[in-house]
Amino acid sequence: MGKITGFMEFERQEEDHLEPVARLKNYKEFVITLTDAQAKVQGARCMDCGIPFCNTGCPVNNIIPDWNDLVFHGNYRHALENLHSTNNFPEFTGRICPAPCESACTLGINDDPVGIKSIERKIIDTGWEHGWVVPQPPSQRTGRKVAIVGSGPAGLAAAQQLARVGHDVTVFEKSDRLGGLLRYGIPDFKMEKDLIDRRVEQMQAEGVTFRTGVLIGKDFPASVSNMARDTIFPEDLEKEFDAVIMAGGAEQPRDLPVPGRQLKGVHFAMDFLPQQNRVNAGDKLKDQLKATGKHVIVIGGGDTGSDCVGTSNRHGAASVTQFELLPQPPEHENKPLVWPYWPTRMRTSSSHEEGCERDWAVATKRLEGKGGKVDKLIACRVEWKDGKMTEVPDSEFELKADLVLLAMGFVSPVQQVLDAFGVQKDPRGNARATTEGELAYQTSNPKVFTAGDMRRGQSLVVWAIREGRQCARAVDEFLMGASVLPR
């Protein structure tokens, strides 16, 4: 490493950010990328640890110690080449990945881990600033055609990899803009959408064709957003293309089957968040779902719930309360027990810091309202024993609620899409496909492959990128008999 004793000399430094009073005024990103001097010091904290568990803690297997050392020496261009060798879109992961690599950092056993995510963001932001991120069109074309259904991180990663080895790639997206849940789901204050746009421009220069507003299939559930103007049947897609990749998201939300669910003012999180993305993009919505002046209750303690909190506060909500069904996790994990795996511990997001009441081990019993509109939520305390939940006697309470947002996760991909392709499904309703061997990422339909949430279920953007890249290699081998793409 560049400085062998750096991990003993320097403290971890988090990225600076605007204070809540300033950042609540708009939907712009508020995290400030490290300076060159700060990145050098943080890179110096990377140990000569012998076995870099961060490599395996990272789903895309980023070669983290190498680019930490390059940043320490100020060699950002080679650091960018190293980073891009495993990750097509580090500007996405450098902003919204929860950084499992840092949980696996050897230094993290008895100290603060290396700030890997902040260094990653510094590398890619520097690359864009200096014009080092350029199209890489293929030297020759294969004449083979691949269709990709879904333009989220899995679909985009697969498309870029396949285009760079010469295949004619077309990406189909049912929304009016590209990016999947990166576009319509992740708030702009966490990731501004020009980051997607400039990658799309790069990929178009590499030969990728994008078609928006196109639904692949027919019947579609009302609980999932669909902006499609055109429809293509899967059988027609299979006739036109040599291979198809299903790379959609796990978009079917988990519902709340309690009395009063039908009341006005009770919505899925994905009814709420994409609307603000569209308004930020310049769309004029006639009836935008807003939290302005309302008492908001968010049911679900994960990232989607946190995004609802941050958006509600920017709307000017009267109050925001977030419930979680599970018990409150500990402030600090038992590192000797869980390292190098992802720990369960108390996590406070930037949205929580902006203002939110949080509560745990709370179950919703019913929703009540007047004139068909919700105005209160009735809940109770629960306790957990041996994995089973029971209601705490005499613990029922009520809260004022003008807007209830259901952010309890996603149960599966849209089943109608999988059924339309006629592929086998696993017990959780995902497309069945292995990740190993000659049939990697191939469904029961030999011509149809799958990657990302549609194969593994609701997961992280970094897992989607990994699977998109690996699926691209599997498709390339299927079409050409061999592949030079990385595994």
Side-chain angles (χ1 to χ4, degrees), residues 44-282:
R45 294 188 73 239
C46 189
M47 304 169 65
D48 186 12
C49 61
I51 299 176
F53 285 87
C54 55
N55 288 167
T56 52
C58 171
V60 294
N61 304 123
N62 278 330
I63 313 169
I64 295 163
D66 293 46
W67 44 255
N68 281 342
D69 183 57
L70 289 165
V71 166
F72 174 79
H73 287 99
N75 194 340
Y76 280 93
R77 186 148 197 173
H78 284 164
L80 179 66
E81 292 173 0
N82 183 300
L83 182 54
H84 267 150
S85 71
T86 55
N87 186 353
N88 296 70
F89 313 119
E91 63 270 40
F92 302 166
T93 52
R95 285 166 168 80
I96 61 175
C97 180
C101 54
E102 295 187 11
S103 296
C105 174
T106 303
L107 182 57
I109 295 174
N110 63 348
D111 200 349
D112 292 330
V114 175
I116 298 168
K117 179 178 174 180
S118 63
I119 298 172
E120 178 181 31
R121 175 168 173 165
K122 171 63 177 177
I123 294 169
I124 184 60
D125 285 1
T126 300
W128 281 107
E129 179 184 343
H130 287 83
W132 298 334
V133 184
V134 296
Q136 299 177 35
S139 57
Q140 59 184 14
R141 295 286 178 181
T142 66
R144 303 298 180 89
K145 298 172 64 179
V146 181
I148 298 179
V149 181
S151 68
L156 293 179
Q160 186 164 66
Q161 294 294 96
L162 289 167
R164 286 178 174 179
V165 292
H167 300 306
D168 294 326
V169 180
T170 302
V171 177
F172 295 89
E173 170 58 55
K174 70 180 186 303
S175 296
D176 59 345
R177 297 181 177 92
L178 299 163
L181 290 178
L182 292 173
R183 173 80 64 179
Y184 291 129
I186 301 295
D188 290 17
F189 56 79
K190 289 176 67 175
M191 195 188 87
E192 294 182 23
K193 304 309 180 250
D194 62 335
L195 302 178
I196 303 172
D197 296 336
R198 65 188 183 185
R199 279 295 181 183
V200 168
E201 291 177 6
Q202 179 197 33
M203 293 170 67
Q204 287 174 324
E206 293 170 345
V208 178
T209 299
F210 293 98
R211 293 185 58 183
T212 57
V214 179
L215 177 67
I216 307 301
K218 36 186 177 181
D219 300 325
F220 215 70
S223 58
V224 178
S225 174
N226 177 21
M227 306 179 196
R229 303 178 303 275
D230 300 318
T231 299
I232 297 177
F233 294 112
E235 52 267 31
D236 295 331
L237 209 63
E238 292 179 52
K239 289 178 183 177
E240 182 180 352
F241 293 87
D242 299 299
V244 178
I245 297 177
M246 297 189 302
E251 296 182 84
Q252 190 66 54
R254 180 173 285 106
D255 209 340
L256 183 67
V258 299
R261 167 65 180 88
Q262 78 287 351
L263 291 169
K264 293 180 180 179
V266 184
H267 299 271
F268 289 116
M270 294 308 294
D271 294 334
F272 178 67
L273 295 172
Q275 288 193 358
Q276 188 59 55
N277 293 134
R278 294 181 61 191
V279 170
N280 292 347

Side-chain angles (χ1 to χ4, degrees), residues 173-469:
E173 170 58 55
K174 70 180 186 303
S175 296
D176 59 345
R177 297 181 177 92
L178 299 163
L181 290 178
L182 292 173
R183 173 80 64 179
Y184 291 129
I186 301 295
D188 290 17
F189 56 79
K190 289 176 67 175
M191 195 188 87
E192 294 182 23
K193 304 309 180 250
D194 62 335
L195 302 178
I196 303 172
D197 296 336
R198 65 188 183 185
R199 279 295 181 183
V200 168
E201 291 177 6
Q202 179 197 33
M203 293 170 67
Q204 287 174 324
E206 293 170 345
V208 178
T209 299
F210 293 98
R211 293 185 58 183
T212 57
V214 179
L215 177 67
I216 307 301
K218 36 186 177 181
D219 300 325
F220 215 70
S223 58
V224 178
S225 174
N226 177 21
M227 306 179 196
R229 303 178 303 275
D230 300 318
T231 299
I232 297 177
F233 294 112
E235 52 267 31
D236 295 331
L237 209 63
E238 292 179 52
K239 289 178 183 177
E240 182 180 352
F241 293 87
D242 299 299
V244 178
I245 297 177
M246 297 189 302
E251 296 182 84
Q252 190 66 54
R254 180 173 285 106
D255 209 340
L256 183 67
V258 299
R261 167 65 180 88
Q262 78 287 351
L263 291 169
K264 293 180 180 179
V266 184
H267 299 271
F268 289 116
M270 294 308 294
D271 294 334
F272 178 67
L273 295 172
Q275 288 193 358
Q276 188 59 55
N277 293 134
R278 294 181 61 191
V279 170
N280 292 347
D283 291 354
K284 303 295 183 182
L285 301 186
K286 183 178 180 181
D287 297 307
Q288 184 188 357
L289 179 58
K290 299 205 70 173
T292 309
K294 297 177 181 178
H295 297 279
V296 179
I297 295 180
V298 179
I299 302 177
D303 289 340
T304 303
S306 171
D307 294 342
C308 289
V309 170
T311 302
S312 295
N313 279 324
R314 281 164 177 75
H315 284 179
S319 68
V320 183
T321 303
Q322 185 179 23
F323 289 155
E324 170 58 57
L325 186 64
L326 296 173
Q328 182 174 348
E331 288 288 339
H332 303 285
E333 71 271 26
N334 185 339
K335 286 188 177 181
L337 179 65
V338 301
W339 181 89
Y341 301 107
W342 182 252
T344 298
R345 61 174 171 81
M346 181 71 169
R347 302 178 192 277
T348 300
S349 72
S350 59
S351 292
H352 295 140
E353 294 171 351
E354 294 163 0
C356 173
E357 292 293 328
R358 303 172 74 187
D359 208 347
W360 289 265
V362 173
T364 303
K365 296 191 72 173
R366 63 186 181 277
L367 300 162
E368 297 180 358
K370 297 177 181 177
K373 190 176 187 311
V374 67
D375 68 358
K376 69 174 66 171
L377 179 146
I378 313 301
C380 67
R381 304 285 172 185
V382 297
E383 58 184 6
W384 293 82
K385 186 176 181 179
D386 298 328
K388 295 182 179 180
M389 181 188 74
T390 57
E391 181 178 341
V392 175
D394 303 319
S395 66
E396 188 172 297
F397 64 98
E398 67 177 54
L399 283 175
K400 182 169 180 56
D402 304 311
L403 177 61
V404 178
L405 298 173
L406 309 180
M408 302 173 294
F410 302 87
V411 295
S412 71
V414 175
Q415 296 300 290
Q416 288 87 337
V417 176
L418 304 187
D419 292 341
F421 277 102
V423 301
Q424 293 180 2
K425 294 180 277 190
D426 66 18
R428 296 185 300 151
N430 303 318
R432 185 188 295 275
T434 181
T435 60
E436 304 292 339
E438 295 182 0
L439 301 179
Y441 296 94
Q442 192 173 37
T443 69
S444 56
N445 182 337
K447 204 173 182 179
V448 179
F449 294 72
T450 185
D453 287 5
M454 196 164 271
R455 191 204 68 83
R456 65 181 292 115
Q458 177 187 352
S459 192
L460 305 177
V461 61
V462 68
W463 274 108
I465 293 172
R466 172 197 172 100
E467 295 215 349
R469 289 170 60 88

